[in-house]
Every structure is written in C-alpha cells, then in structure tokens.
Amino acid sequence: MNQTDQYPQRYDDEISLVDLATTFIRRRHVFYVVFGGTVLLALLYAFFMVDEVREYSTLVQLAEDDNKPLESPASVIANIESHWYPRLQGEYQAQNNEKLPFEIRAHNPEETNLIKLTSDASPELSGEVKTYHQALVDSINERQSELLSRQTKELEQRVASTTEYLEELSEIEATGEAQAQLIQQRAAKLSEIESTRIRIEKLKPAETLAVAREGVDNKGTSKALILALAIVLGGMLGIFAAFMAEFISHVRKAMAENNT
C-alpha cells in the first residue's frame, strides 16, 4: 500500500473547515464592524423611531327594556361605521388637512348589550383618542336617549289607555255570568297596568362604563424583537462580509501578480 492510498489526495481548489475558520479569524475585525454596526443601527431605530403603541378601549352599555336592548348592537355599529365615525373623520381632516392618525373600531362583545370602541395609538395621542371616542359615545347616548324616551311614552300611553278602558268597564253593570266576565277583564287589565308600570320602572338608560381606557400591553413592534432580529441579521452579514473581504483581497493579489 503506497502513501497516496493512505491519505486522500488534496487538490489546490479544495476548501476545508480549517481554511474557513482561518479566513474568518483573519477577517474577524470585518465581522465585528458589520455586526456591531447592524446592532447599533437597530438599537437607534428601536429607541428613536419605533413608538410605543397602546390599545384604548371605550365601553357603552346600551339602553334596555326588560333586559333587551332598545336597539340591536348591530344597528348601533352600523350607525357608527356609516354615519358618526365618517363624520368625525371629515371634521378632523377639514381642521387639520390630514387624516385622523388612528382608527376607531366598533364591535359587540359576544352575548352582551355592550358596544366596544377600540383604537391603537401612541400615548402622545391619548388626549385626541379620548376626545373622539367621547364624541362617538355622545352620539350613541343621544340616540339611546331618544329611543328610551320614545319607549317610555309608548308604555305610558299604554297604561293610560288601559286605565281608561278599565274605568269604562267599572261603569258597566251586569249580573250573573256577565258580571263574572267583567270581574275577570278588570283583573286582567289591572294586572296589565301593573306589569307595564313595573316595566317602565325597569327601563335602563345607556351607561358609559369607560372612555379611552389605556391597555397595559404594548401593541407596537417589540423593541426586544427588533434587537433579536438585528443580532441574527448582523451575524449573517458579518460572516458574509468577512469572507467577501478575503475574496476581494485574493482578487487584488492575483491582479497585482498579473500586472507584474
């Protein structure tokens, strides 16, 4: 067995892991500069360009009649999205020559008579968020007050008409079976009047539970995530730059040899 059989033949253009490691160590300063520059830029971007974003929530309990909303939450949301909110956007743009810097979303939490308004904005805009949330709340409450007043009048009219009919029954004189029927009718009307009055007493107006309440969690881009991505990207770019620097050095050396 000769020596060439014992040791694999190595060609000039083969690159071993030792060569790669040697190249990286020789050009490690390039890696440090690229890696450090990438992380530094990411830190500057995270702390000076990325704003903190909070969620602001407003809750309105709709007016109720017998534990049922006077107006369906879907109808209220339709009014917000098609009428009240676009009006506020137009007013803001007319005053500031720009769009409202945050969005207001409206939805109805499942199995509730609540309307929830939410906006994602920086803490610097918290005052404006509260102002425009309150404007929508005022529109909702105004509409709910009108419905409540209308419902109250309808029930009061029902009580008045039933009372008048009861008075007419009391003036009727009858005997025997007719008298028994009159007594039953009077009892039914009295019960109807009483239940309607109780219903009036239990009418619930709309209630504002919270206006632009600030959430705890940051809804914006995480600064820690930016830093982590910068470390990974910086490492990849640093390694690439180190080997590119070595490649360029060899090219220049080869060109210098050819010129001589």
Side-chain angles (χ1 to χ4, degrees), residues 122-176:
S122 64
E124 290 79 8
L125 294 174
S126 60
E128 289 189 0
V129 172
K130 186 172 183 179
T131 297
Y132 283 87
H133 275 222
Q134 185 63 58
L136 285 178
V137 168
D138 292 341
S139 297
I140 295 172
N141 286 337
E142 182 179 356
R143 168 71 175 170
Q144 294 296 300
S145 295
E146 292 175 358
L147 294 175
L148 186 66
S149 177
R150 187 186 307 168
Q151 183 71 356
T152 302
K153 288 180 180 179
E154 290 180 359
L155 293 175
E156 289 175 345
Q157 289 175 357
R158 186 182 302 177
V159 170
S161 62
T162 305
T163 301
E164 183 179 349
Y165 182 69
L166 182 62
E167 291 174 354
E168 293 176 358
L169 288 178
S170 63
E171 295 176 357
I172 298 176
E173 296 182 359
T175 57

Side-chain angles (χ1 to χ4, degrees), residues 159-214:
V159 170
S161 62
T162 305
T163 301
E164 183 179 349
Y165 182 69
L166 182 62
E167 291 174 354
E168 293 176 358
L169 288 178
S170 63
E171 295 176 357
I172 298 176
E173 296 182 359
T175 57
E177 184 176 347
Q179 180 68 23
Q181 291 179 352
L182 282 173
I183 292 173
Q184 290 179 355
Q185 287 182 359
R186 291 169 186 168
K189 293 302 177 182
L190 284 171
S191 176
E192 182 180 342
I193 291 171
E194 183 64 22
S195 62
T196 304
R197 286 174 174 168
I198 292 174
R199 184 176 169 183
I200 293 174
E201 292 175 357
K202 289 185 175 182
L203 286 173
K204 293 176 61 177
E207 182 181 2
T208 304
L209 304 180
V211 177
R213 182 173 56 197
E214 184 177 315

Side-chain angles (χ1 to χ4, degrees), residues 244-259:
M244 280 300 297
E246 180 70 12
F247 173 74
I248 293 172
S249 175
H250 282 290
V251 171
R252 288 178 176 175
K253 183 178 180 181
M255 291 177 64
E257 290 177 354
N258 290 334
N259 291 333

Side-chain angles (χ1 to χ4, degrees), residues 8-249:
Q9 183 178 0
R10 178 173 178 176
Y11 298 96
D12 292 338
D13 58 350
E14 287 184 349
I15 300 176
S16 67
L17 292 176
V18 175
D19 295 331
L20 293 175
T22 302
T23 300
F24 178 76
I25 294 173
R26 186 165 54 247
R27 300 293 177 179
R28 63 186 181 278
H29 300 294
V30 176
F31 171 83
Y32 295 151
V33 170
V34 174
F35 177 78
T38 303
V39 173
L40 179 60
L41 288 175
L43 286 174
L44 292 175
Y45 174 78
F47 284 100
F48 294 103
M49 301 296 292
V50 177
D51 293 330
E52 186 177 9
V53 177
R54 299 285 181 178
E55 183 182 73
Y56 295 88
S57 302
T58 293
L59 285 175
V60 179
Q61 175 74 50
L62 298 180
E64 294 179 348
D65 176 12
D66 195 21
N67 295 323
K68 296 179 181 179
L70 294 177
E71 184 178 24
S72 68
S75 178
V76 177
I77 292 174
N79 274 323
I80 292 172
E81 294 178 344
S82 63
H83 180 51
W84 300 326
Y85 181 38
R87 183 184 63 192
L88 290 178
Q89 289 178 310
E91 291 175 355
Y92 183 89
Q93 187 159 9
Q95 294 173 2
N96 301 277
N97 294 321
E98 62 180 6
K99 292 183 178 180
L100 193 65
F102 52 85
E103 180 184 0
I104 302 178
R105 302 177 296 275
H107 69 280
N108 166 231
E110 190 174 356
E111 298 182 357
T112 69
N113 296 328
L114 295 171
I115 296 297
K116 185 176 182 180
L117 307 175
T118 57
S119 294
D120 295 333
S122 64
E124 290 79 8
L125 294 174
S126 60
E128 289 189 0
V129 172
K130 186 172 183 179
T131 297
Y132 283 87
H133 275 222
Q134 185 63 58
L136 285 178
V137 168
D138 292 341
S139 297
I140 295 172
N141 286 337
E142 182 179 356
R143 168 71 175 170
Q144 294 296 300
S145 295
E146 292 175 358
L147 294 175
L148 186 66
S149 177
R150 187 186 307 168
Q151 183 71 356
T152 302
K153 288 180 180 179
E154 290 180 359
L155 293 175
E156 289 175 345
Q157 289 175 357
R158 186 182 302 177
V159 170
S161 62
T162 305
T163 301
E164 183 179 349
Y165 182 69
L166 182 62
E167 291 174 354
E168 293 176 358
L169 288 178
S170 63
E171 295 176 357
I172 298 176
E173 296 182 359
T175 57
E177 184 176 347
Q179 180 68 23
Q181 291 179 352
L182 282 173
I183 292 173
Q184 290 179 355
Q185 287 182 359
R186 291 169 186 168
K189 293 302 177 182
L190 284 171
S191 176
E192 182 180 342
I193 291 171
E194 183 64 22
S195 62
T196 304
R197 286 174 174 168
I198 292 174
R199 184 176 169 183
I200 293 174
E201 292 175 357
K202 289 185 175 182
L203 286 173
K204 293 176 61 177
E207 182 181 2
T208 304
L209 304 180
V211 177
R213 182 173 56 197
E214 184 177 315
V216 177
D217 298 330
N218 180 18
K219 296 295 182 178
T221 305
S222 172
K223 295 180 180 180
L225 177 61
I226 293 175
L227 180 59
L229 292 175
I231 291 173
V232 175
L233 180 61
M236 295 171 61
L237 291 176
I239 294 173
F240 177 76
F243 286 104
M244 280 300 297
E246 180 70 12
F247 173 74
I248 293 172
S249 175

